[in-house]
Amino acid sequence: MSFRVTILGATSAIPTKSKAPTAQIISSEQSSYLVDCGEGTQIQMRKYGVKMQRLEAIFISHMHGDHYFGLVGLLNSMSLLGREKTLKIFAPPLLQNIIELQFKAAKTKPKFKIEFRNLTFDQHIKIFEDNKIEVYTIPLDHRIPCNGFLFREKPLPLKIKKEKITQYAIPIEKIKAIKAGSDYQTENGKIIPNASLTIKPTAPHQYAFCSDTLYNEDIIPIIQNSELLYHEATFTNSEAQRASDTYHSTAAQAAAIAHKASVKKLILGHYSARYKNTDQHLSEAASIFENTHCARQGDVFITE
């Protein structure tokens, strides 16, 4: 099982006719999850064929508007379109009050249940899991409390060698225990080590989303060896001081994190509106970490 990351928006602060603020869809088989919800996210979802009613959960990194201003509109549309399934929203504590106030002012009540889960910002902890994936917080260093999110596939069981089932006449009811790591004892009492019966599965897929942050090496152990890393790159080197002053990162700093964390692929995003294109972002980052890509709305990245 792999993760499919669809970029709905990758600019910062001010949306334009051609650029939408931060929002991403992470898909896994038939389930999908929304990370951040900048203004116009529901329009971007329609544009790129994302089915909003399939959302299992929404994760909001922090309370700057370019990361959540699209949420109340999205929730309202989901209700109008007949959603009934409960939706979980993982977000800073203030967001629940904001959303509920907007619905109260409009004398509107969603037709589906919304479960708000308040986030903390100083710990790397698991906040969500289903039968396939786990989601963890990545504490970041921004002007206000901010998290990134680590999406990790649950470890797969060992694979049993089919020829060993025949060789040792292994009953069906014993296979589950063997896949969980147990040795097997034959009818005559011989112990067959698990290592000779099974094959290790592929490593779990992993995607790390790092929202607004200063350069922060504390996140490296958390995101280590991720197949995909999205890291904000609001500025280029010419604006390094401004990046520091506003608690953002440069493209080169994002690349340095990717290199030190031994990730496979780096995706840059959250560009300042001052840049007409991202050529300089890509040039500066690729000189440090070659496998770098600049996110564009509509881009799709897949863990592999």
Side-chain angles (χ1 to χ4, degrees):
M1 183 192 74
S2 60
F3 291 119
R4 178 185 176 94
V5 180
T6 302
I7 307 297
L8 301 178
T11 194
S12 68
I14 303 173
T16 70
K17 289 190 295 183
S18 59
K19 297 177 181 178
T22 303
Q24 299 182 5
I25 293 289
I26 292 84
S27 301
S28 162
E29 296 184 344
Q30 296 300 311
S31 299
S32 61
Y33 313 86
L34 176 64
V35 175
D36 280 349
C37 190
E39 186 176 347
T41 291
Q42 65 171 312
I43 297 173
Q44 295 297 95
M45 293 174 74
R46 291 181 180 277
K47 183 176 181 179
Y48 297 112
V50 176
K51 296 181 179 180
M52 63 179 68
Q53 303 294 38
R54 285 189 177 178
L55 287 178
E56 299 288 338
I58 296 174
F59 301 86
I60 303 297
S61 63
H62 65 296
M63 291 300 295
H64 281 155
D66 55 328
H67 295 263
Y68 80 91
F69 276 171
L71 184 56
V72 70
L74 173 61
L75 296 175
N76 189 63
S77 292
M78 293 170 76
S79 180
L80 291 173
L81 291 170
R83 183 183 176 106
E84 297 179 351
K85 184 179 180 179
T86 297
L87 178 68
K88 297 179 175 65
I89 299 178
F90 298 82
L94 278 174
L95 187 60
Q96 180 175 356
N97 295 334
I98 291 171
I99 297 300
E100 290 180 347
L101 177 60
Q102 291 183 77
F103 280 126
K104 181 179 179 180
K107 292 183 169 55
T108 299
K109 184 177 181 179
K111 297 175 182 177
F112 60 97
K113 183 179 179 181
I114 301 173
E115 292 184 358
F116 286 93
R117 306 291 177 84
N118 293 337
L119 296 178
T120 57
F121 298 88
D122 56 355
Q123 300 178 74
H124 167 55
I125 58 173
K126 182 165 65 175
I127 56 173
F128 173 85
E129 69 175 322
D130 57 23
N131 61 338
K132 295 288 186 181
I133 74 164
E134 299 171 332
V135 182
Y136 296 81
T137 52
I138 306 172
L140 300 174
D141 188 2
H142 193 38
R143 289 194 297 115
I144 63 174
C146 185
N147 279 315
F149 302 104
L150 181 72
F151 287 76
R152 179 183 296 155
E153 180 185 21
K154 284 188 172 180
L156 298 171
L158 296 164
K159 297 180 181 180
I160 191 166
K161 299 175 184 177
K162 290 183 179 180
E163 65 273 16
K164 299 297 182 180
I165 297 175
T166 302
Q167 180 180 347
Y168 296 110
I170 300 174
I172 293 176
E173 62 269 18
K174 298 292 185 181
I175 290 177
K176 183 177 180 180
I178 294 171
K179 286 184 175 182
S182 297
D183 297 333
Y184 174 64
Q185 184 173 355
T186 65
E187 289 184 356
N188 61 13
K190 183 179 180 181
I191 302 296
I192 311 299
N194 184 273
S196 70
L197 298 170
T198 59
I199 302 170
K200 289 185 178 180
T202 56
H205 292 288
Q206 184 167 293
Y207 169 61
F209 168 89
C210 293
S211 186
D212 300 13
T213 185
L214 279 171
Y215 178 82
N216 181 11
E217 293 190 356
D218 290 345
I219 70 175
I220 290 173
I222 300 174
I223 66 174
Q224 196 84 32
N225 299 318
S226 294
E227 290 152 283
L228 292 177
L229 165 65
Y230 172 92
H231 194 293
E232 76 121 290
T234 309
F235 298 103
T236 58
N237 282 336
S238 63
E239 297 288 341
Q241 186 57 54
R242 181 164 178 77
S244 178
D245 293 343
T246 58
Y247 284 74
H248 284 294
S249 296
T250 66
Q253 289 171 335
I257 292 291
H259 173 71
K260 292 179 180 180
S262 301
V263 305
K264 290 184 179 179
K265 182 181 293 185
L266 170 65
I267 308 165
L268 303 179
H270 199 264
Y271 322 111
S272 169
R274 71 187 60 214
Y275 300 102
K276 293 182 178 179
N277 61 61
T278 55
D279 294 348
Q280 192 62 30
H281 290 76
L282 183 60
S283 175
E284 292 178 4
S287 68
I288 298 168
F289 186 81
E290 184 176 0
N291 195 11
T292 297
H293 300 261
C294 286
R296 294 283 184 273
Q297 54 190 45
D299 284 351
V300 175
F301 299 91
I302 300 174
T303 57
E304 54 187 7

